[in-house]
Amino acid sequence: MEKRFVRESRCYKTSRVFPTDVNNHNTLFGGKLMAYIDDIASISASKHSRRAVVTASTDSVDFLYPIRPTDSVCLEAFVTYTGKSSMEVFVKVITEDLKTAERRIAATSFLTFVAMDENKRPVAVPQVTPQTEEEKRLNETALNRLEFRRIRRETSKEFSGHLTMKFPWE
């Protein structure tokens, strides 16, 4: 299987924060940011695999700072680690105050995608080769996140067996 550099999956999305995008605290609605994150991460995974992809999990979204209407929001996404058919994608959310030019990392997120073939079955993906210090650090720490994901998935499956599917009106 071929290898691809992290930079080959890197992509960006920059948006302005409009009044319709904010919550009752006058900051970017978290659900809107999560939609941006899933969108850019799926593009990154598709660029790496050159396949259709599905979101297997959103491992984390850590909101570090509020995003204000005076900010632009720039998302940077890239594949940090690959399994057989899965890809871990890291998304960094950078805000910039459009008046002062102050930047800060407002959120980070890890998601997992699976590449699919024409029959909607998982298909092998190229390995990823990190080059920068940031890419190497994320790649080196990926196995810890992979193990955490495995444990969380097993726990979720076990827990779901104790949940009811009956609606209150039934």
Side-chain angles (χ1 to χ4, degrees), residues 77-163:
F78 51 92
V79 173
T80 58
Y81 184 81
T82 56
K84 182 179 176 188
S85 62
S86 66
M87 296 160 281
E88 179 188 75
V89 179
F90 175 66
V91 180
K92 181 180 4 174
V93 179
I94 303 166
T95 62
E96 180 177 345
D97 186 299
L98 294 172
K99 294 179 182 173
T100 67
E102 177 189 0
R103 289 183 186 169
R104 60 174 28 164
I105 296 176
T108 59
S109 184
F110 287 96
L111 301 91
T112 303
F113 289 83
V114 174
M116 307 299 276
D117 67 13
E118 297 75 21
N119 298 313
K120 299 185 180 178
R121 291 204 166 87
V123 63
V125 298
Q127 291 180 320
V128 67
T129 302
Q131 293 178 291
T132 69
E133 289 306 311
E134 181 180 55
E135 293 167 359
K136 289 176 184 175
R137 175 76 174 137
L138 287 163
N139 183 265
E140 290 165 359
T141 56
L143 288 178
N144 292 336
R145 290 185 298 276
L146 182 66
E147 179 61 14
F148 180 74
R149 247 179 250 125
R150 185 190 63 74
I151 292 168
R152 191 184 74 234
R153 187 173 47 254
E154 287 175 6
T155 303
S156 291
K157 281 185 180 181
E158 191 275 326
F159 182 72
S160 71
H162 300 285
L163 300 175

Coordinates of all heavy atoms in Angstrom, one line a residue, residues 77-163:
A77 N -7.6 21.0 9.0 CA -7.8 19.6 9.2 C -6.7 18.8 8.4 O -6.3 19.2 7.3 CB -9.2 19.2 8.8
F78 N -6.3 17.7 9.0 CA -5.4 16.8 8.4 C -5.4 15.4 9.0 O -5.7 15.3 10.2 CB -4.0 17.4 8.3 CG -3.4 17.8 9.6 CD1 -2.6 17.0 10.4 CD2 -3.6 19.1 10.0 CE1 -2.1 17.4 11.6 CE2 -3.0 19.6 11.2 CZ -2.3 18.7 12.0
V79 N -5.1 14.4 8.2 CA -5.0 13.0 8.7 C -3.7 12.9 9.5 O -2.6 13.2 9.1 CB -5.1 12.0 7.6 CG1 -4.8 10.6 8.1 CG2 -6.4 12.1 6.8
T80 N -3.9 12.4 10.7 CA -2.7 12.2 11.6 C -2.2 10.7 11.7 O -1.1 10.5 12.1 CB -3.0 12.7 13.0 OG1 -4.2 12.0 13.5 CG2 -3.3 14.2 13.0
Y81 N -3.2 9.8 11.5 CA -2.8 8.4 11.7 C -3.8 7.6 10.9 O -5.0 8.0 10.7 CB -3.0 8.0 13.2 CG -2.6 6.6 13.5 CD1 -1.3 6.3 13.6 CD2 -3.6 5.6 13.6 CE1 -0.9 4.9 13.9 CE2 -3.2 4.3 13.9 CZ -1.9 4.0 14.1 OH -1.5 2.7 14.3
T82 N -3.4 6.4 10.4 CA -4.2 5.5 9.7 C -4.1 4.1 10.2 O -3.1 3.7 10.6 CB -3.9 5.5 8.1 OG1 -2.5 5.1 8.0 CG2 -4.1 6.8 7.5
G83 N -5.3 3.4 10.1 CA -5.3 2.0 10.4 C -5.4 1.3 9.1 O -5.0 1.8 8.0
K84 N -6.2 0.2 9.1 CA -6.3 -0.5 7.8 C -7.3 0.2 6.9 O -6.9 0.5 5.7 CB -6.9 -1.9 8.1 CG -7.1 -2.8 6.8 CD -7.6 -4.1 7.1 CE -7.9 -4.9 5.8 NZ -8.6 -6.2 6.1
S85 N -8.4 0.6 7.4 CA -9.4 1.4 6.6 C -9.8 2.7 7.2 O -10.6 3.4 6.7 CB -10.6 0.5 6.3 OG -11.3 0.2 7.5
S86 N -9.3 2.9 8.4 CA -9.7 4.1 9.2 C -8.6 5.1 9.2 O -7.4 4.9 9.0 CB -10.0 3.7 10.6 OG -8.8 3.2 11.3
M87 N -9.1 6.4 9.4 CA -8.2 7.5 9.4 C -8.6 8.4 10.6 O -9.7 8.8 10.7 CB -8.3 8.3 8.1 CG -7.9 7.6 6.9 SD -8.6 8.3 5.4 CE -10.3 7.7 5.5
E88 N -7.6 8.8 11.4 CA -7.8 9.8 12.4 C -7.5 11.1 11.8 O -6.5 11.3 11.2 CB -6.9 9.5 13.6 CG -7.0 10.6 14.7 CD -6.0 10.5 15.8 OE1 -4.8 10.9 15.5 OE2 -6.3 10.0 16.9
V89 N -8.4 12.0 12.0 CA -8.3 13.4 11.5 C -8.3 14.4 12.7 O -9.1 14.3 13.6 CB -9.4 13.8 10.5 CG1 -9.3 15.2 10.0 CG2 -9.5 12.8 9.4
F90 N -7.3 15.3 12.7 CA -7.2 16.3 13.7 C -7.7 17.6 13.1 O -7.4 17.9 11.9 CB -5.8 16.5 14.1 CG -5.6 17.6 15.1 CD1 -6.1 17.6 16.3 CD2 -4.8 18.7 14.7 CE1 -5.9 18.7 17.2 CE2 -4.6 19.8 15.6 CZ -5.2 19.7 16.8
V91 N -8.5 18.3 13.8 CA -9.0 19.6 13.4 C -8.7 20.7 14.4 O -8.9 20.5 15.6 CB -10.6 19.6 13.2 CG1 -11.0 21.0 12.7 CG2 -11.0 18.6 12.2
K92 N -8.0 21.7 13.9 CA -7.6 22.8 14.8 C -8.4 24.0 14.4 O -8.5 24.4 13.2 CB -6.1 23.1 14.5 CG -5.5 24.2 15.3 CD -4.1 24.5 15.1 CE -3.4 23.7 14.0 NZ -2.0 24.1 13.8
V93 N -9.1 24.7 15.3 CA -9.9 25.8 15.1 C -9.2 27.1 15.6 O -8.9 27.2 16.8 CB -11.3 25.7 15.8 CG1 -12.2 26.9 15.5 CG2 -12.0 24.4 15.3
I94 N -8.9 28.0 14.6 CA -8.2 29.2 15.0 C -9.1 30.4 14.7 O -9.7 30.5 13.6 CB -6.9 29.4 14.1 CG1 -6.0 28.1 14.3 CG2 -6.1 30.7 14.4 CD1 -4.9 28.0 13.2
T95 N -9.2 31.2 15.7 CA -10.0 32.5 15.6 C -9.1 33.6 15.4 O -7.9 33.6 15.9 CB -10.9 32.8 16.8 OG1 -10.1 33.0 17.9 CG2 -11.9 31.7 17.0
E96 N -9.6 34.6 14.7 CA -8.8 35.9 14.5 C -9.8 37.0 14.7 O -10.8 37.1 14.0 CB -8.1 35.9 13.1 CG -7.4 37.2 12.9 CD -6.6 37.3 11.6 OE1 -6.5 36.2 10.9 OE2 -6.2 38.4 11.2
D97 N -9.4 37.9 15.6 CA -10.2 39.1 15.8 C -10.0 40.0 14.6 O -8.8 40.3 14.3 CB -9.9 39.8 17.1 CG -10.8 41.0 17.3 OD1 -10.8 41.9 16.5 OD2 -11.4 41.0 18.4
L98 N -11.0 40.3 13.8 CA -10.8 41.0 12.6 C -10.4 42.4 12.7 O -10.0 43.1 11.8 CB -12.1 40.9 11.7 CG -12.4 39.4 11.2 CD1 -13.8 39.4 10.6 CD2 -11.3 38.9 10.3
K99 N -10.5 43.0 13.9 CA -10.1 44.4 14.2 C -8.7 44.4 14.7 O -7.9 45.3 14.4 CB -11.1 45.0 15.1 CG -12.5 45.2 14.5 CD -13.4 45.9 15.5 CE -14.8 46.0 14.8 NZ -15.8 46.4 15.6
T100 N -8.3 43.5 15.6 CA -7.0 43.6 16.3 C -6.0 42.6 15.7 O -4.8 42.7 16.1 CB -7.2 43.3 17.8 OG1 -7.6 41.9 18.0 CG2 -8.2 44.2 18.5
A101 N -6.4 41.6 14.9 CA -5.6 40.6 14.4 C -5.1 39.6 15.4 O -4.3 38.7 15.1 CB -4.4 41.2 13.6
E102 N -5.6 39.6 16.6 CA -5.3 38.6 17.6 C -5.8 37.3 17.2 O -7.0 37.1 16.9 CB -5.8 39.1 19.0 CG -5.5 38.0 20.1 CD -6.3 38.3 21.4 OE1 -7.0 39.3 21.5 OE2 -6.1 37.5 22.3
R103 N -4.9 36.3 17.3 CA -5.3 34.9 17.0 C -5.2 34.0 18.2 O -4.4 34.2 19.1 CB -4.4 34.3 15.9 CG -4.6 34.9 14.6 CD -3.7 34.2 13.6 NE -3.9 34.9 12.3 CZ -3.1 34.6 11.3 NH1 -2.1 33.8 11.4 NH2 -3.2 35.3 10.1
R104 N -6.1 33.0 18.3 CA -6.0 32.0 19.3 C -6.6 30.7 18.8 O -7.4 30.7 18.0 CB -6.6 32.5 20.6 CG -8.1 32.8 20.5 CD -8.8 33.1 21.8 NE -7.9 33.7 22.8 CZ -8.4 34.3 23.9 NH1 -9.7 34.5 24.1 NH2 -7.6 34.8 24.8
I105 N -6.1 29.6 19.4 CA -6.7 28.3 19.1 C -8.0 28.2 20.0 O -7.9 28.2 21.2 CB -5.8 27.2 19.3 CG1 -4.6 27.3 18.4 CG2 -6.5 25.8 19.2 CD1 -3.5 26.3 18.5
A106 N -9.1 28.2 19.4 CA -10.4 28.2 20.1 C -11.0 26.8 20.4 O -11.7 26.7 21.3 CB -11.4 29.0 19.3
A107 N -10.6 25.9 19.6 CA -11.0 24.5 19.7 C -10.1 23.5 19.0 O -9.4 23.9 18.1 CB -12.5 24.4 19.2
T108 N -10.2 22.3 19.5 CA -9.5 21.2 18.8 C -10.4 20.0 18.8 O -11.3 19.9 19.6 CB -8.2 20.8 19.5 OG1 -8.5 20.4 20.9 CG2 -7.2 21.9 19.5
S109 N -10.2 19.1 17.8 CA -11.1 18.0 17.7 C -10.4 16.8 17.0 O -9.5 17.0 16.1 CB -12.3 18.4 16.8 OG -13.2 17.3 16.8
F110 N -10.7 15.6 17.4 CA -10.3 14.4 16.7 C -11.5 13.6 16.3 O -12.4 13.4 17.0 CB -9.5 13.5 17.7 CG -8.1 14.0 18.0 CD1 -7.9 14.8 19.1 CD2 -7.0 13.7 17.2 CE1 -6.6 15.2 19.4 CE2 -5.8 14.2 17.4 CZ -5.5 15.0 18.6
L111 N -11.4 13.2 15.0 CA -12.5 12.4 14.5 C -11.9 11.2 13.8 O -10.7 11.2 13.4 CB -13.3 13.2 13.4 CG -14.0 14.5 13.9 CD1 -13.1 15.7 13.7 CD2 -15.3 14.7 13.2
T112 N -12.7 10.1 13.6 CA -12.3 9.0 12.9 C -13.2 8.7 11.7 O -14.4 8.8 11.9 CB -12.3 7.7 13.8 OG1 -11.4 8.0 14.9 CG2 -11.8 6.5 13.0
F113 N -12.6 8.5 10.5 CA -13.4 8.2 9.3 C -12.9 6.8 8.8 O -11.8 6.4 9.0 CB -13.1 9.3 8.3 CG -13.8 10.6 8.6 CD1 -13.1 11.5 9.5 CD2 -15.0 10.9 8.1 CE1 -13.7 12.6 9.8 CE2 -15.6 12.1 8.4 CZ -15.0 13.0 9.3
V114 N -13.8 6.2 8.1 CA -13.6 4.9 7.4 C -13.8 5.1 5.9 O -14.8 5.7 5.5 CB -14.5 3.8 7.9 CG1 -14.2 2.5 7.1 CG2 -14.2 3.5 9.4
A115 N -12.8 4.7 5.1 CA -12.9 4.7 3.7 C -13.8 3.6 3.2 O -13.7 2.5 3.7 CB -11.5 4.7 3.0
M116 N -14.6 3.9 2.2 CA -15.6 2.9 1.7 C -15.4 2.7 0.2 O -15.1 3.6 -0.5 CB -17.0 3.4 1.9 CG -17.3 3.8 3.3 SD -17.1 2.5 4.5 CE -18.7 1.7 4.4
D117 N -15.6 1.4 -0.2 CA -15.5 1.1 -1.7 C -16.9 1.4 -2.3 O -17.8 1.9 -1.7 CB -15.0 -0.3 -1.9 CG -15.9 -1.4 -1.5 OD1 -17.1 -1.1 -1.2 OD2 -15.5 -2.5 -1.4
E118 N -17.0 1.0 -3.6 CA -18.2 1.3 -4.3 C -19.4 0.5 -3.8 O -20.6 0.8 -4.0 CB -18.0 0.9 -5.8 CG -17.0 1.7 -6.5 CD -15.5 1.4 -6.2 OE1 -15.3 0.2 -5.7 OE2 -14.7 2.3 -6.3
N119 N -19.1 -0.6 -3.0 CA -20.2 -1.4 -2.4 C -20.5 -1.1 -1.0 O -21.1 -1.8 -0.2 CB -19.8 -2.9 -2.5 CG -19.7 -3.4 -4.0 OD1 -20.6 -3.1 -4.8 ND2 -18.6 -4.1 -4.3
K120 N -19.9 0.1 -0.6 CA -20.1 0.6 0.8 C -19.5 -0.3 1.8 O -20.0 -0.5 3.0 CB -21.5 0.9 1.1 CG -22.1 2.0 0.2 CD -23.5 2.4 0.5 CE -23.9 3.4 -0.5 NZ -25.3 3.9 -0.3
R121 N -18.3 -0.9 1.5 CA -17.6 -1.8 2.4 C -16.2 -1.1 2.7 O -15.7 -0.4 1.8 CB -17.3 -3.1 1.8 CG -18.6 -4.0 1.6 CD -18.3 -5.4 1.5 NE -19.5 -6.2 1.7 CZ -20.3 -6.6 0.8 NH1 -20.1 -6.2 -0.5 NH2 -21.3 -7.3 1.1
P122 N -15.7 -1.3 3.9 CA -14.4 -0.6 4.2 C -13.3 -1.1 3.3 O -13.3 -2.3 2.9 CB -14.1 -1.1 5.7 CG -15.5 -1.4 6.2 CD -16.3 -2.0 5.1
V123 N -12.5 -0.2 2.9 CA -11.4 -0.4 2.0 C -10.1 0.1 2.6 O -10.1 1.1 3.3 CB -11.7 0.2 0.6 CG1 -11.8 1.7 0.7 CG2 -10.7 -0.3 -0.4
A124 N -9.0 -0.5 2.3 CA -7.7 -0.1 2.8 C -7.3 1.3 2.4 O -7.7 1.7 1.3 CB -6.6 -1.1 2.3
V125 N -6.6 2.0 3.2 CA -6.2 3.4 3.0 C -4.7 3.5 3.0 O -4.0 2.6 3.7 CB -6.8 4.4 4.0 CG1 -8.3 4.4 3.9 CG2 -6.3 4.1 5.4
P126 N -4.1 4.4 2.3 CA -2.6 4.6 2.4 C -2.2 5.0 3.8 O -2.9 5.6 4.6 CB -2.3 5.8 1.5 CG -3.5 5.9 0.6 CD -4.7 5.4 1.4
Q127 N -1.0 4.6 4.2 CA -0.4 5.0 5.4 C -0.1 6.5 5.3 O 0.1 7.0 4.2 CB 0.9 4.2 5.7 CG 0.7 2.7 6.1 CD 2.0 2.0 6.3 OE1 3.0 2.3 5.7 NE2 2.0 1.2 7.3
V128 N 0.0 7.1 6.5 CA 0.3 8.5 6.5 C 1.8 8.8 7.0 O 2.2 8.1 7.9 CB -0.7 9.3 7.4 CG1 -0.6 8.9 8.8 CG2 -0.6 10.8 7.2
T129 N 2.5 9.7 6.4 CA 3.8 10.0 6.8 C 3.9 11.5 7.3 O 3.7 12.4 6.5 CB 4.8 9.9 5.6 OG1 4.7 8.5 5.1 CG2 6.2 10.2 6.0
P130 N 4.1 11.7 8.6 CA 4.2 13.0 9.1 C 5.6 13.6 8.8 O 6.6 12.9 8.7 CB 4.1 12.8 10.6 CG 4.5 11.4 10.9 CD 4.2 10.6 9.6
Q131 N 5.7 14.9 8.7 CA 6.9 15.6 8.5 C 7.3 16.7 9.5 O 8.4 16.7 10.0 CB 7.0 16.2 7.1 CG 6.9 15.1 6.0 CD 6.9 15.8 4.6 OE1 5.9 16.4 4.2 NE2 8.0 15.7 3.9
T132 N 6.3 17.5 9.8 CA 6.6 18.6 10.7 C 6.5 18.1 12.2 O 6.1 17.0 12.5 CB 5.5 19.7 10.6 OG1 4.3 19.3 11.1 CG2 5.4 20.2 9.2
E133 N 7.0 18.9 13.1 CA 7.0 18.5 14.5 C 5.6 18.3 15.0 O 5.3 17.4 15.8 CB 7.8 19.6 15.4 CG 9.3 19.6 15.2 CD 9.9 18.2 15.4 OE1 9.6 17.5 16.4 OE2 10.7 17.8 14.5
E134 N 4.7 19.2 14.6 CA 3.3 19.1 15.0 C 2.7 17.8 14.5 O 2.1 17.0 15.2 CB 2.5 20.3 14.5 CG 1.0 20.2 14.9 CD 0.3 21.4 14.3 OE1 0.3 21.7 13.1 OE2 -0.4 22.1 15.1
E135 N 2.9 17.5 13.2 CA 2.4 16.2 12.6 C 3.0 15.0 13.3 O 2.3 14.0 13.6 CB 2.8 16.2 11.1 CG 2.1 17.2 10.3 CD 2.7 17.4 8.9 OE1 3.6 16.7 8.6 OE2 2.1 18.2 8.2
K136 N 4.3 15.0 13.6 CA 5.0 13.9 14.3 C 4.4 13.7 15.7 O 4.2 12.5 16.1 CB 6.5 14.1 14.3 CG 7.2 14.0 13.0 CD 8.6 14.3 13.1 CE 9.3 14.3 11.7 NZ 10.7 14.7 11.7
R137 N 4.2 14.7 16.4 CA 3.7 14.6 17.8 C 2.3 14.0 17.8 O 2.0 13.1 18.5 CB 3.7 16.0 18.4 CG 3.0 16.1 19.8 CD 3.9 15.5 20.8 NE 3.3 15.7 22.1 CZ 3.3 14.7 23.1 NH1 3.9 13.6 22.9 NH2 2.7 15.0 24.2
L138 N 1.4 14.5 16.8 CA 0.1 13.9 16.7 C 0.1 12.5 16.3 O -0.6 11.6 16.8 CB -0.7 14.8 15.8 CG -1.2 16.1 16.3 CD1 -1.6 17.1 15.2 CD2 -2.3 16.0 17.3
N139 N 1.0 12.1 15.4 CA 1.1 10.7 15.0 C 1.7 9.8 16.1 O 1.1 8.7 16.3 CB 2.1 10.7 13.7 CG 2.2 9.3 13.2 OD1 3.1 8.6 13.5 ND2 1.3 8.9 12.3
E140 N 2.6 10.3 16.8 CA 3.2 9.5 17.9 C 2.2 9.2 19.0 O 2.3 8.2 19.7 CB 4.4 10.2 18.5 CG 5.6 10.2 17.6 CD 6.7 11.2 18.0 OE1 6.5 11.9 19.0 OE2 7.7 11.3 17.3
T141 N 1.3 10.1 19.3 CA 0.3 10.0 20.4 C -1.0 9.3 19.9 O -1.9 9.1 20.7 CB 0.0 11.4 21.0 OG1 -0.4 12.3 20.0 CG2 1.3 11.9 21.7
A142 N -1.0 9.0 18.6 CA -2.3 8.4 18.1 C -2.7 7.1 18.7 O -3.8 6.8 18.9 CB -2.2 8.3 16.6
L143 N -1.7 6.2 19.0 CA -2.0 4.9 19.5 C -2.7 5.0 20.8 O -3.6 4.1 21.1 CB -0.7 4.0 19.6 CG -0.2 3.6 18.2 CD1 1.1 2.8 18.4 CD2 -1.2 2.7 17.5
N144 N -2.3 5.9 21.7 CA -3.0 6.1 22.9 C -4.5 6.5 22.7 O -5.4 6.0 23.4 CB -2.4 7.2 23.8 CG -1.0 6.8 24.3 OD1 -0.7 5.7 24.4 ND2 -0.2 7.8 24.5
R145 N -4.8 7.4 21.7 CA -6.1 7.7 21.4 C -6.9 6.6 20.8 O -8.1 6.4 21.1 CB -6.2 9.0 20.5 CG -5.7 10.3 21.1 CD -5.9 11.4 20.2 NE -5.1 11.4 19.0 CZ -3.8 11.7 18.9 NH1 -3.1 12.2 20.0 NH2 -3.1 11.6 17.8
L146 N -6.2 5.8 20.0 CA -6.8 4.6 19.4 C -7.3 3.6 20.5 O -8.4 3.1 20.4 CB -5.8 3.9 18.4 CG -6.3 2.7 17.7 CD1 -7.4 3.1 16.7 CD2 -5.1 2.0 16.9
E147 N -6.5 3.4 21.5 CA -6.8 2.5 22.6 C -8.0 3.0 23.4 O -8.9 2.3 23.7 CB -5.6 2.2 23.5 CG -5.9 1.3 24.7 CD -6.3 -0.1 24.3 OE1 -6.2 -0.5 23.1 OE2 -6.8 -0.8 25.2
F148 N -8.0 4.3 23.6 CA -9.1 5.0 24.3 C -10.4 4.8 23.6 O -11.4 4.5 24.1 CB -8.7 6.5 24.6 CG -9.8 7.2 25.3 CD1 -10.0 7.0 26.7 CD2 -10.6 8.1 24.6 CE1 -11.0 7.7 27.3 CE2 -11.6 8.8 25.3 CZ -11.8 8.6 26.6
R149 N -10.3 5.0 22.2 CA -11.5 4.9 21.4 C -12.0 3.4 21.4 O -13.2 3.3 21.5 CB -11.0 5.1 19.9 CG -11.6 6.3 19.3 CD -11.1 6.5 17.9 NE -10.2 7.6 17.9 CZ -9.0 7.7 17.5 NH1 -8.4 6.7 16.9 NH2 -8.3 8.8 17.6
R150 N -11.1 2.5 21.4 CA -11.5 1.0 21.5 C -12.3 0.8 22.8 O -13.4 0.2 22.8 CB -10.3 0.1 21.3 CG -10.7 -1.4 21.3 CD -9.5 -2.3 21.4 NE -8.8 -2.1 22.7 CZ -9.3 -2.6 23.8 NH1 -10.4 -3.3 23.9 NH2 -8.6 -2.5 25.0
I151 N -11.7 1.2 23.9 CA -12.4 1.0 25.2 C -13.7 1.7 25.2 O -14.7 1.2 25.7 CB -11.4 1.5 26.3 CG1 -10.2 0.5 26.4 CG2 -12.2 1.5 27.6 CD1 -9.1 1.1 27.3
R152 N -13.7 3.0 24.8 CA -15.0 3.7 24.8 C -16.1 3.1 24.0 O -17.2 3.0 24.3 CB -14.7 5.2 24.3 CG -15.9 6.1 24.6 CD -15.8 7.5 24.1 NE -15.9 7.4 22.6 CZ -15.0 7.9 21.8 NH1 -13.9 8.5 22.2 NH2 -15.3 7.8 20.5
R153 N -15.7 2.6 22.8 CA -16.7 1.9 21.9 C -17.2 0.6 22.6 O -18.4 0.4 22.6 CB -16.0 1.6 20.6 CG -17.0 1.0 19.5 CD -16.4 0.9 18.1 NE -15.1 0.2 18.1 CZ -13.9 0.8 17.9 NH1 -13.8 2.1 17.7 NH2 -12.8 0.1 17.9
E154 N -16.4 -0.2 23.2 CA -16.8 -1.4 23.9 C -17.8 -1.0 25.0 O -18.8 -1.6 25.2 CB -15.6 -2.2 24.4 CG -14.8 -2.9 23.3 CD -13.6 -3.5 23.9 OE1 -13.4 -3.6 25.1 OE2 -12.8 -4.0 23.1
T155 N -17.4 0.0 25.8 CA -18.2 0.5 26.9 C -19.6 1.0 26.4 O -20.6 0.7 27.0 CB -17.5 1.6 27.7 OG1 -16.2 1.1 28.2 CG2 -18.3 2.0 28.9
S156 N -19.6 1.7 25.3 CA -20.8 2.2 24.7 C -21.7 1.1 24.3 O -22.9 1.1 24.5 CB -20.5 3.2 23.6 OG -19.9 4.4 24.0
K157 N -21.1 0.1 23.6 CA -21.9 -1.0 23.1 C -22.5 -1.8 24.3 O -23.7 -2.2 24.3 CB -21.1 -2.0 22.3 CG -20.8 -1.5 20.9 CD -20.1 -2.5 20.1 CE -19.9 -2.1 18.7 NZ -19.1 -3.1 17.9
E158 N -21.8 -2.0 25.4 CA -22.3 -2.7 26.5 C -23.4 -1.9 27.2 O -24.4 -2.4 27.5 CB -21.1 -3.0 27.5 CG -21.5 -3.9 28.7 CD -22.1 -3.2 29.8 OE1 -21.8 -2.0 30.1 OE2 -23.0 -3.8 30.5
F159 N -23.1 -0.6 27.3 CA -24.1 0.3 28.0 C -25.4 0.3 27.2 O -26.5 0.3 27.7 CB -23.5 1.7 28.1 CG -24.4 2.7 28.8 CD1 -24.7 2.6 30.1 CD2 -25.1 3.7 28.0 CE1 -25.5 3.5 30.7 CE2 -25.9 4.6 28.6 CZ -26.2 4.5 30.0
S160 N -25.3 0.3 25.8 CA -26.5 0.4 25.0 C -27.4 -0.8 25.2 O -28.7 -0.7 25.0 CB -26.2 0.5 23.5 OG -25.6 -0.7 23.0
G161 N -26.9 -1.9 25.7 CA -27.7 -3.1 26.0 C -28.7 -2.9 27.1 O -29.6 -3.6 27.3
H162 N -28.4 -1.8 27.9 CA -29.2 -1.6 29.1 C -30.2 -0.4 28.8 O -31.0 0.0 29.7 CB -28.4 -1.2 30.3 CG -27.4 -2.2 30.7 ND1 -27.8 -3.4 31.4 CD2 -26.1 -2.3 30.4 CE1 -26.7 -4.1 31.5 NE2 -25.7 -3.5 31.0
L163 N -30.3 0.1 27.6 CA -31.2 1.2 27.3 C -32.4 0.7 26.7 O -32.4 -0.4 26.0 CB -30.5 2.1 26.3 CG -29.2 2.8 26.9 CD1 -28.5 3.6 25.8 CD2 -29.4 3.6 28.1

